[in-house]
Amino acid sequence: MSLSYHYMLMANHVILQKKLFLSLKDTGLTLGQPKVLDFLREKDGAAQKEIAAACHIEPASLTTILNGMEEKGLIQRKSLNGNRRSWHIFLTDRGKEMVDAIDKGFEELESQAFSGISKEERESFLKTFEKIYHNMETLEEKKHDRKN
């Protein structure tokens, strides 16, 4: 049986997600939350629209994810400049602690994933994988442009 890109991508994603949540089981994080926390590490104070786009999450789904994160004390919503229609999301101290746990989990998973793979092979793979991402992103933008 020859392996296809879509199968390997799906299989690797499922394994990565299972292992990540296993390593974070004591945190109480749910699906989507690690991705949002990881994004906020770099862009603390981002608008909800920006988070949804960057994390590839539908706005309605993001609202549910953020509600759960707010209940756990991981984030705080603030309106800036009196604009109550645009909320900005900030990490709390507890959220920052959780980001550290997520970073550690991702580092361990990447170390395991690239075990036995040379630095050159890893860099080449990641460059190719990034090109695939941009190809897919461009394809999605073209479809969106045709609809409008």
Side-chain angles (χ1 to χ4, degrees):
M1 173 176 136
S2 67
L3 300 176
S4 65
Y5 166 75
H6 74 270
Y7 176 80
M8 292 307 302
L9 181 64
M10 181 184 61
N12 277 290
H13 176 73
V14 168
I15 289 171
L16 180 81
Q17 203 163 36
K18 281 182 182 178
K19 288 182 177 274
L20 178 65
F21 277 98
L22 188 60
S23 74
L24 299 173
K25 69 180 178 216
D26 297 331
T27 64
L29 291 175
T30 59
L31 205 58
Q33 292 178 349
K35 183 177 5 182
V36 172
L37 286 169
D38 190 47
F39 177 77
L40 288 172
R41 176 175 47 92
E42 298 293 325
K43 296 268 191 159
D44 199 19
Q48 283 187 216
K49 276 181 154 180
E50 184 181 1
I51 297 168
C55 294
H56 304 281
I57 300 172
E58 293 297 320
S61 298
L62 178 63
T63 299
T64 303
I65 291 168
L66 293 177
N67 288 342
M69 293 172 72
E70 195 169 32
E71 288 172 15
K72 293 175 185 167
L74 302 173
I75 60 151
Q76 184 177 21
R77 289 178 168 116
K78 295 181 185 177
S79 63
L80 299 181
N81 305 323
N83 184 352
R84 304 191 87 195
R85 289 184 299 157
S86 178
W87 292 100
H88 291 261
I89 311 304
F90 293 86
L91 291 169
T92 62
D93 289 341
R94 178 159 162 60
K96 290 173 184 172
E97 290 172 11
M98 204 61 68
V99 167
D100 292 339
I102 292 167
D103 280 348
K104 184 179 177 200
F106 279 133
E107 283 175 22
E108 290 172 4
L109 286 172
E110 284 194 29
S111 176
Q112 182 181 358
F114 287 101
S115 175
I117 297 172
S118 73
K119 182 180 176 184
E120 293 79 18
E121 287 174 307
R122 178 182 177 153
E123 288 173 3
S124 176
F125 169 77
L126 290 174
K127 282 180 184 175
T128 302
F129 207 52
E130 184 177 14
K131 287 178 183 177
I132 292 169
Y133 172 79
H134 289 298
N135 288 345
M136 299 302 291
E137 189 177 46
T138 301
L139 179 66
E140 191 64 29
E141 287 171 2
K142 285 180 182 176
K143 281 183 182 178
H144 178 71
D145 289 345
R146 276 184 264 164
K147 288 181 182 177
N148 294 333

